[in-house]
Amino acid sequence: MARKKAKPHRKRGPRPGWSGMLSIGLVTFPVQAFNAVQPGSHFDLHQLHKSCHSRIHYVKTCPIHGPVSNDEIVSAYEYRPGEYVEIDDEELDSLYSDRQRALSIEAFIAPEQLDPIHFDGRMYYLVPADAESLEPYLLFREAMEKQERWGVGRILMSGRRQLAMIRVYEQGISMALLHYADELRSLETVLHLSGRTKAAAKKSHLAETLVKEWTQRKFDISAYADESHDELAEMIEAKVKGRKVVAPEEEEEPETVDLMDALRRSIARQAKSADGRHHRAKSRSAAKSPRRTKRTA
């Protein structure tokens, strides 16, 4: 009697944004990609008609026939001004083989070989799609971790083949979508350095000192919170309760024009800030430690 294939148990949670095969050489197994960004982490402000507070809606319209429904809309490419060729979903589908639809890793690289300028901001968690996929998933995760390598390849998402990178993240694997090289604007189109001279030695030394003083050996990104979220929440609560919204007072800052002076002040401010943090940490440590009493003879 044939044994029934056990279905993997997955807790209720977010739905995958993409499901498909992860292909590394001849090893292929199903995975799912979940958006790494938590939905609802920002306030959504809606647009209203100022006079009656009705929600503003965006209606797709044809200049000849007026509003049209989604089933009346087709995709097309403008090959000459005003002339289009229609392309339907089935035709787009037929462009790609099953292997081209997969997340196909084509190379492993050292992290420093990929400049962050290529990251397009979309981040996903890759997870095995079933129980059988767990072994190869963990196998390659461990291999990438030991070799300190990232995988680069391509994936079919949103109707086009996109460049992607996978790497070890905590106990799993994450995926980031990338810009192709020809999608990036050349820096020379916006930055013109012709005729510029190198910074003077003294200014250069002060700038290096500032960078050194501000360097954190153990950077913890969780120490940074979205303060604008809390500030907007307070404003919304105040307005809902009919309270007047009061803007915070601006801190007066003396204008510094001279570059050398600005560098020196920045270094001094950082040193003062570091002393303050050290004093607060020492005070907290003393508060936690029990006081010792002198023994009397």
Side-chain angles (χ1 to χ4, degrees):
M1 185 177 177
R3 292 176 62 187
K4 287 186 178 180
K5 200 173 184 180
K7 291 184 179 180
H9 174 70
R10 188 170 70 83
K11 294 179 180 179
R12 288 186 178 182
R15 292 184 177 182
W18 178 89
S19 297
M21 306 301 290
L22 172 56
S23 175
I24 304 175
L26 297 178
V27 180
T28 303
F29 54 94
V31 293
Q32 296 177 320
F34 292 85
N35 198 321
V37 179
Q38 179 71 20
S41 55
H42 302 284
F43 283 107
D44 291 324
L45 298 181
H46 302 289
Q47 291 188 325
L48 307 178
H49 186 195
K50 187 174 182 178
S51 62
C52 68
H53 275 201
S54 296
R55 286 278 294 273
I56 299 299
H57 297 285
Y58 293 91
V59 181
K60 296 177 181 179
T61 62
C62 167
I64 298 172
H65 302 96
V68 293
S69 60
N70 286 333
D71 58 2
E72 295 179 283
I73 299 173
V74 296
S75 298
Y77 176 76
E78 187 176 21
Y79 63 95
R80 275 201 297 263
E83 295 189 42
Y84 301 86
V85 56
E86 287 187 21
I87 302 174
D88 61 37
D89 291 341
E90 290 182 1
E91 289 172 322
L92 281 175
D93 245 16
S94 68
L95 288 175
Y96 307 105
S97 65
D98 287 342
R99 185 168 181 82
Q100 287 174 318
R101 297 174 196 282
L103 169 54
S104 182
I105 301 303
E106 301 172 15
F108 286 99
I109 64 170
E112 60 268 20
Q113 290 179 274
L114 181 62
D115 194 283
I117 194 73
H118 287 277
F119 287 62
D120 83 349
R122 287 175 289 174
M123 299 288 178
Y124 298 87
Y125 296 135
L126 281 185
V127 301
D130 54 34
E132 287 77 12
S133 303
L134 185 60
E135 183 182 5
Y137 177 90
L138 293 177
L139 185 70
F140 278 102
R141 185 210 166 278
E142 183 180 355
M144 287 193 294
E145 184 175 43
K146 286 183 176 179
Q147 296 293 323
E148 297 182 349
R149 291 293 180 263
W150 292 356
V152 175
R154 280 175 281 191
I155 183 174
L156 182 66
M157 282 188 79
S158 304
R160 61 184 286 254
R161 289 199 81 199
Q162 303 190 50
L163 199 59
M165 178 276 294
I166 65 170
R167 67 183 181 93
V168 171
Y169 180 76
E170 295 184 354
Q171 302 305 309
I173 297 174
S174 71
M175 177 181 73
L177 297 185
L178 310 173
H179 290 295
Y180 287 98
D182 62 2
E183 292 178 324
L184 297 177
R185 175 184 286 131
S186 171
L187 178 62
E188 285 74 17
T189 61
V190 292
L191 179 64
H192 309 287
L193 296 177
S194 57
R196 297 287 179 127
T197 57
K198 287 187 176 181
K202 199 165 186 179
K203 291 178 183 176
S204 180
H205 173 71
L206 284 173
E208 289 176 22
T209 301
L210 180 58
V211 171
K212 184 179 178 181
E213 291 292 328
W214 281 24
T215 297
Q216 293 183 15
R217 300 302 173 193
K218 292 183 179 179
F219 176 71
D220 181 12
I221 198 167
S222 65
Y224 292 80
D226 184 2
E227 295 175 355
S228 61
H229 183 280
D230 295 335
E231 290 161 358
L232 183 55
E234 290 177 10
M235 176 194 286
I236 291 171
E237 184 181 2
K239 289 181 74 67
V240 168
K241 292 182 177 179
R243 297 199 305 264
K244 185 179 179 182
V245 177
V246 181
E249 293 183 6
E250 292 288 342
E251 295 182 11
E252 291 188 10
E253 193 74 25
E255 186 179 354
T256 306
V257 179
D258 181 69
L259 179 58
M260 290 285 286
D261 188 31
L263 287 168
R264 289 194 185 98
R265 290 190 186 192
S266 298
I267 293 170
R269 175 181 291 181
Q270 174 61 16
K272 185 177 179 181
S273 176
D275 288 342
R277 287 197 301 270
H278 176 72
H279 177 73
R280 287 193 296 272
K282 194 173 180 180
S283 298
R284 286 195 298 269
S285 177
K288 290 179 182 178
S289 303
R291 291 184 178 180
R292 294 184 179 179
T293 56
K294 290 182 180 180
R295 296 180 64 183
T296 56

